[in-house]
């Protein structure tokens, strides 16, 4: 039985970066497929009255060190970008444009590499449009479509639909009615996929 993973993501989430890099291994080992769902985490934070940067300096310092440990453990070229957090709606809408062009995964790889490995903000089109061109899209058409009402409504629908389905954070990986939150739940995800595949 073929199993699909619904992957709810936001480029502004550190843990989503790790999950995005680890998920291909899970899919290769299990034969599962993935459906990507851009999801505006900033909107969700406001929905639940949560402000990340209001956490204590001690906790934020610990978070940064913990991410460095994960990067070392997984041998990934993660680094904290100079600009954090960022507004992610343009990058998220861009993924919907890329999906229509059959270039969704290439676009996601480009923005995750640029932000979380090269440290360059992907909040604006001066970076996003060249990345779109790099993966095979016309940069002017990409920007125009990403700014269209159609794509704005599509991102709203993707985000509100996720909340209505019980998704509350990023990354969230869903198989059937089972939710797996964070980069450190992929072992459980893989077990769930294998059980459903039997």
């Amino acid at each position: 039985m073929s199993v699909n993973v619904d992957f709810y993501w936001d480029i502004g989430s550190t843990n989503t970066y790790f999950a995005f890099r680890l998920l291909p291994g899970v899919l290769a080992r299990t034969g599962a497929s993935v459906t990507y769902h851009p999801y505006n985490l900033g909107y969700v934070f406001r929905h639940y009255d949560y402000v990340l940067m209001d956490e204590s300096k001690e906790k934020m310092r610990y978070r940064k060190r913990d991410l460095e440990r994960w990067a070392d453990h997984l041998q990934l070229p993660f680094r904290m970008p100079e600009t954090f957090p960022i507004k992610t709606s343009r990058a998220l809408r861009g993924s919907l444009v890329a999906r229509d062009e059959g270039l969704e995964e290439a676009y996601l790889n480009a923005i995750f590499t640029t932000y979380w490995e090269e440290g360059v903000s992907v909040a604006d089109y001066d970076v996003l449009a060249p990345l779109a061109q790099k993966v095979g899209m016309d940069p002017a058409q990409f920007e125009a479509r990403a700014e269209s009402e159609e794509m704005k409504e599509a991102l709203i629908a993707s985000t509100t639909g996720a909340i209505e389905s019980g998704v509350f954070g990023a990354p969230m990986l869903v198989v059937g009615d089972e939710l797996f939150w964070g980069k450190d739940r992929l072992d459980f995800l893989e077990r769930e996929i294998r059980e459903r595949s039997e």
Side-chain angles (χ1 to χ4, degrees), residues 8-48:
Y8 294 86
W9 66 276
D10 189 315
I11 187 64
S13 161
T14 55
N15 290 325
T16 296
Y17 162 79
F18 287 96
F20 180 73
R21 288 292 184 234
L22 294 171
L23 183 60
V26 174
L27 301 179
R29 290 189 296 272
T30 61
S33 58
V34 61
T35 301
Y36 295 104
H37 299 275
Y39 167 75
N40 194 321
L41 193 58
Y43 175 86
V44 177
F45 283 173
R46 292 189 296 274
H47 180 79
Y48 291 111

Side-chain angles (χ1 to χ4, degrees), residues 49-148:
D49 294 322
Y50 172 71
V51 181
L52 173 65
M53 302 310 285
D54 281 355
E55 292 187 346
S56 70
K57 291 180 181 178
E58 292 77 14
K59 187 171 183 181
M60 294 298 287
R61 187 163 50 246
Y62 174 82
R63 281 179 179 270
K64 182 176 184 294
R65 183 67 189 112
D66 192 53
L67 290 166
E68 291 169 351
R69 290 189 188 110
W70 273 96
D72 182 64
H73 173 65
L74 298 169
Q75 294 297 290
L76 287 171
F78 168 88
R79 73 182 210 187
M80 283 300 296
E82 290 184 14
T83 305
F84 177 83
I86 59 170
K87 291 180 70 71
T88 62
S89 55
R90 290 171 179 165
L92 295 171
R93 293 195 304 268
S95 75
L96 296 171
V97 177
R99 178 188 295 171
D100 285 352
E101 297 293 323
L103 296 166
E104 183 177 25
E105 197 149 334
Y107 172 84
L108 294 183
N109 185 62
I111 62 173
F112 277 103
T113 298
T114 300
Y115 191 47
W116 292 114
E117 295 177 2
E118 297 171 2
V120 177
S121 171
V122 292
D124 299 309
Y125 291 117
D126 60 346
V127 172
L128 290 171
L131 290 178
Q133 183 175 32
K134 185 178 178 181
V135 301
M137 289 180 274
D138 177 274
Q141 290 181 5
F142 166 82
E143 182 174 343
R145 287 210 63 212
E147 282 298 301
S148 69

